[in-house]
């Protein structure tokens, strides 16, 4: 289906979006993490449209967004005390709980798994859209599958313009990376995808929290979360994560790599937290800490493509706090290429 896509300020478009969702349509809206592409999770046809519009593999399940924690009892089964404690602590917010699905969740939403991912967003506009839609909203990130997630309305339009009727514009997202996906079906929580609700925050409630194997490493074979096995967040440019044994030599190494790529006729750009060591080179300072880097990294990857850079050298970040989410995303966009 072809659409003339309207972009509207989110504060003026809540009822319109909610009505479109009610009527089985697919719309894009901001959340505090990234922009979402939402449809009625109980409507099989609307859900299949999401997969089609994004070009998403059928075996990659969607997150069901709700606005009332009480509904978890309707949508999920076998909820442990631990799961309840974590949901009470982190709902609403950048936290997605994977739980055993009740039969109410259509199989297409959960890609035939017997679990379902549930999130209550904290963004007041997103909550209002869900509430007014009167249903549960399945919503992946509002990008073409494989591309960096969109953190502003223009980046949604670039990917999905002409494919959906409405994009609500809420400016830049607060966090810039997607929610923490956490498997709560086991004895201890397992982080399948790190996000703004950090391992350290979860550990305060459940000290035995684990991080799934595929979060920072390439894994083959069975993965706990289908999303882990696909190429993700990839711009056209070739991305490399640059690491060094000692922090003092990291900038030197990046400078040497930059010169070597330039000599090969490439057009590199350095993504870093401080521009000073890279004077006279093409540099994008993503921010001074992991939170700021998270907020700008996806749009910076898109801008690198638009400005004709073919090589991105990403300065390694410490994997603590939000740094874990950033490294998870950038390693995937690099196809795990580390120099
Ligand atoms: O912040 C977010 O989570 C955003 C906003 C829009 O809410 N949504 C989002 O959705 O990032 P998506 O579809 O781009 O990523 C959902 C991830 C995928 O990696 C998927 O494989 C995983 O969650 N997932 C969904 N259901 C699952 C399940 N039952 N078991 C394991 N992983 C699941
Ligand atoms: Mg996504």
């Amino acid at each position: 289906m072809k659409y003339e896509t309207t972009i509207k300020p989110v504060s003026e478009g809540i009822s319109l979006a909610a009505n479109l969702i009610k009527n089985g349509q697919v719309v894009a809206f901001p959340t505090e993490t990234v922009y979402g592409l939402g449809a009625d999770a109980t409507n099989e046809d609307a859900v299949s449209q999401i997969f089609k519009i994004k070009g998403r593999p059928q075996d990659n399940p969607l997150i069901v967004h709700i606005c009332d924690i009480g509904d978890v009892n309707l949508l999920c089964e076998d909820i442990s005390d631990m799961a309840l404690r974590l949901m009470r602590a982190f709902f609403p917010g950048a936290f997605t709980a994977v739980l055993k699905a009740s039969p109410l969740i259509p199989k297409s939403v959960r890609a035939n798994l017997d679990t379902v991912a549930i999130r209550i967003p904290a963004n007041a506009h997103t909550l209002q859209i869900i509430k007014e839609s009167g249903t549960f909203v399945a919503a992946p990130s509002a990008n073409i599958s494989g591309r960096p997630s969109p953190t502003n309305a223009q980046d949604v339009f670039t990917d999905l313009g002409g494919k959906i009727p409405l994009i609500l514009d809420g400016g830049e997202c607060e966090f810039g990376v997607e929610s923490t996906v956490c498997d709560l079906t086991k004895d201890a929580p397992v982080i399948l995808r790190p996000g703004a609700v950090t391992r350290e925050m979860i550990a305060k409630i459940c000290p035995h929290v684990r991080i799934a194997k595929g979060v920072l490493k390439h894994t083959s074979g069975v993965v706990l979360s289908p999303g882990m096995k696909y190429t993700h967040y990839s711009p056209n440019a070739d991305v490399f994560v640059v690491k060094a044994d000692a922090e003092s030599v990291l900038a030197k190494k990046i400078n040497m790599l930059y010169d070597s790529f330039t000599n090969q006729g490439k057009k590199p750009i350095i993504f870093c937290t401080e521009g000073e060591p890279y004077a006279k080179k093409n540099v994008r300072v993503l921010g001074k800490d992991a939170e700021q880097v998270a907020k700008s990294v996806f749009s910076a990857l898109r801008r690198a493509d638009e400005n004709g850079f073919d090589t991105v050298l990403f300065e390694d970040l410490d994997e603590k706090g939000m740094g874990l989410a950033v490294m998870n995303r950038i390693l995937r966009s690099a196809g795990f290429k580390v120099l």
Side-chain angles (χ1 to χ4, degrees):
M1 190 97 139
K2 274 242 165 241
Y3 289 96
E4 180 108 28
T5 304
T6 307
I7 303 184
K8 240 188 190 328
V10 64
S11 53
E12 295 168 19
I14 288 173
S15 301
L16 179 57
N19 278 322
L20 285 166
I21 291 171
K22 233 185 235 174
N23 292 325
Q25 304 249 44
V26 181
V27 298
F29 48 74
T31 83
E32 73 275 28
T33 56
V34 299
Y35 276 69
L37 183 66
D40 182 350
T42 65
N43 177 335
E44 295 262 13
D45 183 52
V47 169
S48 80
Q49 286 304 316
I50 292 182
F51 283 90
K52 219 178 271 166
I53 290 166
K54 275 183 65 86
R56 184 180 178 100
Q58 295 288 338
D59 67 349
N60 193 4
L62 306 177
I63 296 173
V64 176
H65 295 68
I66 65 175
C67 57
D68 177 357
I69 195 167
D71 287 340
V72 171
N73 295 306
L74 200 64
L75 302 175
C76 307
E77 295 176 350
D78 301 345
I79 305 163
S80 67
D81 286 347
M82 169 202 81
L84 263 183
R85 265 185 291 139
L86 288 170
M87 286 188 284
R88 287 206 182 109
F90 301 122
F91 279 173
F95 183 77
T96 295
V98 172
L99 292 159
K100 187 170 176 215
S102 88
L104 275 179
I105 310 270
K107 285 197 167 163
S108 56
V109 175
R110 51 191 159 101
N112 286 318
L113 297 175
D114 56 12
T115 54
V116 62
I118 304 275
R119 163 155 129 84
I120 304 183
N123 181 306
H125 292 127
T126 325
L127 280 174
Q128 194 58 28
I129 294 168
I130 302 168
K131 201 169 177 187
E132 284 191 30
S133 76
T135 184
F136 310 117
V137 178
S141 48
N143 51 290
I144 295 290
S145 265
R147 302 248 309 136
S149 297
T151 53
N152 58 65
Q154 190 53 48
D155 288 348
V156 177
F157 186 82
T158 301
D159 278 18
L160 304 180
K163 297 180 165 196
I164 53 175
L166 178 68
I167 299 170
L168 293 185
D169 186 350
E172 288 289 333
C173 295
E174 182 187 348
F175 293 124
V177 290
E178 310 86 339
S179 63
T180 304
V181 178
C182 199
D183 181 355
L184 305 182
T185 64
K186 312 254 174 3
D187 290 343
V190 183
I191 296 173
L192 305 178
R193 180 180 72 183
V197 171
T198 62
R199 189 194 66 81
E200 293 83 347
M201 288 158 74
I202 297 171
K204 283 201 178 131
I205 297 168
C206 295
H208 299 300
V209 56
R210 288 192 291 119
I211 297 172
K213 233 176 35 205
V215 164
L216 292 176
K217 286 201 177 71
H218 181 65
T219 49
S220 50
V222 179
V223 290
L224 294 171
S225 182
M228 280 182 177
K229 68 182 183 213
Y230 293 108
T231 315
H232 259 6
Y233 320 119
S234 303
N236 298 323
D238 232 350
V239 180
F240 298 89
V241 174
V242 186
K243 291 185 186 264
D245 291 338
E247 210 176 308
S248 57
V249 296
L250 184 58
K252 207 167 174 186
K253 184 170 174 181
I254 290 176
N255 273 318
M256 288 171 74
L257 285 165
Y258 185 101
D259 291 340
S260 144
F261 276 111
T262 307
N263 290 337
Q264 292 166 43
K266 299 274 188 196
K267 195 178 168 195
I269 182 166
I270 298 164
F271 282 10
C272 56
T273 51
E274 217 190 287
E276 195 247 329
Y278 310 110
K280 297 204 185 112
K281 293 194 158 74
N282 291 312
V283 175
R284 169 76 193 251
V285 178
L286 297 178
K288 62 178 182 347
D289 55 28
E291 280 71 25
Q292 291 183 2
V293 174
K295 201 167 169 156
S296 59
V297 67
F298 283 141
S299 64
L301 288 171
R302 286 171 177 265
R303 299 297 87 77
D305 278 350
E306 286 162 12
N307 294 317
F309 293 104
D310 56 21
T311 307
V312 174
L313 298 172
F314 185 93
E315 193 187 67
D316 188 28
L317 261 192
D318 199 340
E319 285 147 14
K320 64 176 193 300
M322 189 68 132
L324 183 67
V326 172
M327 290 313 293
N328 167 266
R329 307 307 192 277
I330 203 75
L331 279 164
R332 280 182 161 64
S333 68
F336 296 94
K337 294 190 300 295
V338 177
L339 295 174

